[in-house]
């Protein structure tokens, strides 16, 4: 007896079609007239072969069930357009809270107000509030840093020592050949005259004198230092540069 393989294939296809209809096509996407319960929501899982499905709670509110979670949505029409409003993720937003949000949205729609636009305005207000708060915080931190970085006010005695050291620097330069030297030689000269300062302190003094145009600097491994005409005049007392002590009349001039 010859077995009919054609009928076997046909029956197999019919069986698979029936299984698909029972297990997938019958999976509800809308439940008219049936409200959800928390127990039903907790038991919901995405069927094999599906990415997501929707379950309605009525009044446009539905739960979008995905492998990544369950998301509350509200489907509504406004100004002739179909729109969707997100209410949050279950269980962070529970069933009762989602229904309250639905009723609040329906109340806005009854007044011809788009709840989606209200949501956008709320987000903009929150964003503006956060930006303003961050701006105020940044300004406060900047002011605090400015106060912390502000140089400390020195007393009169320290100011006199500082101005005297600046005078001695330009006087040493005035005695050098061609009115030029380097910072290493200058530091040795200062130490020999009782000005025991560090290399960094010397560079700070030189930078200040350069800003006052009393000297010129040529930066390199060792700074080259050149006395300018205003610096020479200040060393002789013929001009006065504020911040540099005026030389005494008894000061030796060469």
């Amino acid at each position: 007896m010859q077995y009919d393989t054609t009928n076997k294939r046909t029956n197999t296809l019919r069986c698979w079609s029936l299984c698909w209809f029972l297990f997938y096509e019958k999976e509800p996407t809308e439940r008219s007239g049936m409200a959800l319960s928390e127990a039903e929501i907790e038991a919901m899982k995405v069927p094999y072969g599906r990415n997501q499905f929707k379950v309605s709670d009525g009044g446009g509110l539905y739960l979008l069930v995905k492998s990544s979670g369950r998301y509350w949505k509200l489907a509504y029409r406004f100004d002739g357009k179909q729109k969707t409003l997100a209410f949050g993720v279950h269980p962070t937003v529970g069933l009762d809270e989602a229904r309250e949000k639905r009723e609040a949205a329906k109340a806005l729609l009854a007044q011809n107000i788009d709840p989606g636009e209200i949501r956008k305005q709320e987000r903009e207000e929150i964003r503006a509030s956060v930006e303003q708060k961050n701006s105020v915080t940044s300004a406060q931190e900047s002011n605090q840093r400015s106060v912390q970085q502000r140089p400390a006010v020195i007393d009169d005695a320290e100011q006199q020592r500082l101005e005297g050291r600046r005078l001695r620097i330009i006087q040493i330069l005035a005695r050098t050949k061609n009115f030029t030297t380097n910072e290493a030689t200058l530091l040795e000269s200062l130490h020999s005259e009782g000005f025991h300062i560090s290399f960094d302190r010397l560079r700070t003094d030189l930078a200040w004198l350069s800003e006052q145009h009393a000297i010129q600097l040529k930066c390199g491994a060792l700074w080259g230092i050149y006395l300018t005409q205003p610096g020479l005049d200040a060393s002789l007392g013929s001009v006065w540069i504020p911040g540099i002590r005026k030389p005494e009349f008894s000061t030796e001039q060469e």
Side-chain angles (χ1 to χ4, degrees):
M1 177 178 179
Q2 185 176 2
Y3 187 77
D4 190 352
T5 57
T6 301
N7 289 336
K8 181 180 179 181
R9 287 195 297 271
T10 301
N11 292 334
T12 301
L13 291 174
R14 288 175 179 174
C15 180
W16 277 109
S17 299
L18 179 61
C19 290
W20 178 268
F21 176 78
L22 290 175
F23 290 97
Y24 298 105
E25 295 301 325
K26 299 297 287 183
E27 189 66 43
T29 57
E30 296 289 341
R31 294 158 48 109
S32 57
M34 296 180 62
L36 291 171
S37 67
E38 287 288 358
E40 288 177 321
I41 294 173
E42 291 296 335
M44 289 178 184
K45 294 183 180 180
V46 179
Y48 178 78
R50 298 282 295 277
N51 294 325
Q52 62 184 37
F53 66 93
K54 298 187 296 183
V55 183
S56 174
D57 187 61
L61 178 64
Y62 66 91
L63 193 66
L64 180 63
V65 182
K66 298 183 177 182
S67 301
S68 57
R70 305 176 180 91
Y71 305 87
W72 290 112
K73 304 281 187 178
L74 178 69
Y76 68 98
R77 292 187 67 83
F78 185 83
D79 198 20
K81 298 178 181 179
Q82 186 66 32
K83 298 188 174 185
T84 303
L85 187 63
F87 284 163
V89 183
H90 185 276
T92 303
V93 177
L95 178 58
D96 291 339
E97 184 179 353
R99 288 170 176 167
E100 290 175 0
K101 291 176 179 288
R102 174 188 61 194
E103 296 307 313
K106 289 173 66 176
L108 291 173
L109 288 169
Q111 302 175 51
N112 199 31
I113 299 174
D114 186 355
E117 290 300 319
I118 298 297
R119 174 71 60 82
K120 290 181 181 179
Q121 293 176 10
E122 291 174 349
R123 288 177 177 173
E124 289 297 328
E125 290 174 358
I126 293 173
R127 184 181 297 108
S129 176
V130 171
E131 289 177 353
Q132 182 179 8
K133 183 178 179 180
N134 291 339
S135 177
V136 171
T137 302
S138 298
Q140 291 174 344
E141 291 176 350
S142 178
N143 291 337
Q144 185 177 4
R145 286 194 299 268
S146 298
V147 171
Q148 292 173 347
Q149 295 172 0
R150 189 175 300 158
V153 177
I154 60 177
D155 57 27
D156 291 340
E158 179 62 28
Q159 182 66 30
Q160 289 296 323
R161 286 192 293 270
L162 177 60
E163 292 183 3
R165 189 171 65 244
R166 291 168 177 168
L167 173 62
R168 183 57 65 192
I169 289 173
I170 59 176
Q171 285 178 335
I172 292 173
L173 284 168
R175 297 197 301 263
T176 60
K177 184 179 180 179
N178 298 325
F179 306 112
T180 181
T181 186
N182 62 62
E183 56 186 342
T185 303
L186 178 59
L187 187 62
E188 290 179 3
S189 299
L190 287 170
H191 286 173
S192 67
E193 297 190 22
F195 294 92
H196 300 289
I197 61 174
S198 67
F199 198 79
D200 289 340
R201 178 69 260 184
L202 174 61
R203 284 197 165 185
T204 301
D205 290 345
L206 294 175
W208 185 90
L209 288 168
S210 177
E211 290 176 355
Q212 310 310 312
H213 306 290
I215 63 172
Q216 289 183 351
L217 297 174
K218 183 177 182 180
C219 298
L222 281 177
W223 287 3
I225 309 160
Y226 304 86
L227 187 65
T228 64
Q229 186 62 50
L232 178 61
D233 293 340
S235 71
L236 299 175
S238 56
V239 299
W240 177 56
I241 299 177
I244 301 177
R245 182 189 297 176
K246 293 181 180 180
E248 301 294 336
F249 291 110
S250 59
T251 300
E252 181 181 358
Q253 300 183 16
E254 299 181 0

